[in-house]
Amino acid sequence: HKYFNGVNSFDLGKEKGLKLIEESADQRYPDALFMMALAYSGQMFERDESKYMYYLKEAADLGHQTAQKRLGIADHKCGNEKENHVHYITLAASQGDAEACGMLGHFFMRAECGLSKSLILAKHYSEKYFEDAVEGDPCTPVSAFNLSLALFHLSFKRYEGILEIPGHSPIPKSLFWARRALEGDLPVETNDSVIKFISMVENEAKSHCTNCRKEAGCSSFKRCVRCLGAWYCGKECQVQHWKAGHKIDCIKRK
């Protein structure tokens, strides 16, 4: 690897570096196999698809996290069997690869790649994505919206459409993640869907006091300044609702 990159006082020597890595790959070291895949991906030599896929699969089958993710993506782009694609993405996700977790969350939310829709698994993998993601990851806005939808619809099903049970309301967290999604670079259609979702949730929630259910009518209720996800007809109702469980549901906005 050092011969490839010319660091730590090593001179750049592609032939010598390649020979050392080939020897390591022959001994089935996952990192070396992955580097051979990169070499044949066009980074060092003219791209050789068969050798690239061969070394990538060898590294992936030996547990190389990045190779597993790349192989899953490559299988998807090549139109190979969905099972292979999901298999390697799942292996990468099980090792804490954030992007792979985000992809699985999306697949389960949208019932893609041969998977059945599962709100529970969409929520699980989307949450895992944010546990492991790095700043600026391109999957962030999509995973944020998937998490928002999963939280909302899980509670809708669990509590038969009652969304404002103190301590169990999905509204503050669902709005938090939907707003987070708008901070990223989303496709126009998805961006419009996020805006419509936020508008739908907010319009319904602010039509009445979250605590006493008094209709807002022509009045404009004040909302929780911490989460922007609950509306109150007065200070008394806000304090009562906080003690009743909003302190559990409330999530501090950025």
Side-chain angles (χ1 to χ4, degrees):
H1 179 256
K2 291 175 181 177
Y3 283 98
F4 273 154
N5 296 314
V7 296
N8 294 345
S9 300
F10 283 82
D11 292 328
L12 185 66
K14 291 184 178 180
E15 292 184 5
K16 191 170 185 179
L18 180 60
K19 182 178 180 181
L20 291 173
I21 291 175
E22 284 179 333
E23 290 174 355
S24 296
D26 288 342
Q27 297 180 52
R28 295 183 60 74
Y29 285 105
D31 284 343
L33 289 164
F34 181 63
M35 295 236 18
M36 289 298 295
L38 292 182
Y40 285 108
S41 70
Q43 290 190 18
M44 188 172 179
F45 309 117
E46 183 178 348
R47 185 177 180 89
D48 186 319
E49 191 67 25
S50 63
K51 289 184 178 180
Y52 169 66
M53 293 298 290
Y54 168 78
Y55 283 113
L56 198 61
K57 187 176 187 305
E58 289 291 298
D61 288 342
L62 288 172
H64 194 285
Q65 178 181 317
T66 306
Q68 290 168 345
K69 178 176 67 178
R70 284 201 178 204
L71 185 59
I73 295 171
D75 279 343
H76 182 55
K77 289 181 177 178
C78 293
N80 292 343
E81 294 182 9
K82 294 175 181 177
E83 292 77 7
N84 285 342
H85 170 53
V86 175
H87 170 70
Y88 286 109
I89 294 295
T90 303
L91 287 177
S94 70
Q95 295 195 68
D97 186 283
E99 187 178 356
C101 288
M103 292 171 71
L104 282 177
H106 188 73
F107 296 158
F108 280 114
M109 190 72 226
R110 310 292 175 179
E112 293 182 0
C113 295
L115 296 176
S116 300
K117 183 171 182 175
S118 171
L119 293 172
I120 292 175
L121 290 174
K123 173 179 176 290
H124 169 73
Y125 282 112
S126 296
E127 287 177 332
K128 284 289 294 176
Y129 167 80
F130 285 102
E131 289 176 10
D132 302 317
V134 296
E135 191 71 26
D137 193 302
C139 289
T140 298
V142 174
S143 293
F145 188 40
N146 286 332
L147 181 53
S148 173
L149 291 175
L151 288 167
F152 185 86
H153 290 296
L154 275 172
S155 290
F156 190 91
K157 290 179 64 176
R158 184 175 297 146
Y159 301 112
E160 299 180 344
I162 302 174
L163 296 171
E164 294 176 324
I165 302 173
H168 301 279
S169 174
I171 293 175
K173 292 183 176 65
S174 186
L175 285 174
F176 171 87
W177 288 111
R179 292 168 185 145
R180 175 84 176 268
L182 289 179
E183 296 174 5
D185 186 17
L186 285 167
V188 174
E189 185 176 347
T190 305
N191 194 77
D192 289 344
S193 296
V194 178
I195 292 173
K196 288 179 182 177
F197 175 75
I198 292 174
S199 179
M200 180 269 292
V201 175
E202 285 188 343
N203 287 338
E204 172 58 29
K206 68 183 180 183
S207 68
H208 56 269
C209 175
T210 308
N211 184 60
C212 71
R213 312 293 296 175
K214 176 183 176 181
E215 292 295 324
C218 296
S219 304
S220 180
F221 288 165
K222 292 183 178 181
R223 60 179 172 178
C224 175
V225 297
R226 189 171 188 269
C227 68
L228 302 181
W231 282 257
Y232 303 103
C233 61
K235 185 69 174 179
E236 185 178 349
C237 271
Q238 184 173 6
V239 172
Q240 288 178 0
H241 192 245
W242 178 265
K243 293 179 179 179
H246 183 62
K247 59 185 176 184
I248 298 171
D249 302 325
C250 191
I251 180 170
K252 188 175 181 180
R253 61 193 174 94
K254 283 190 171 183

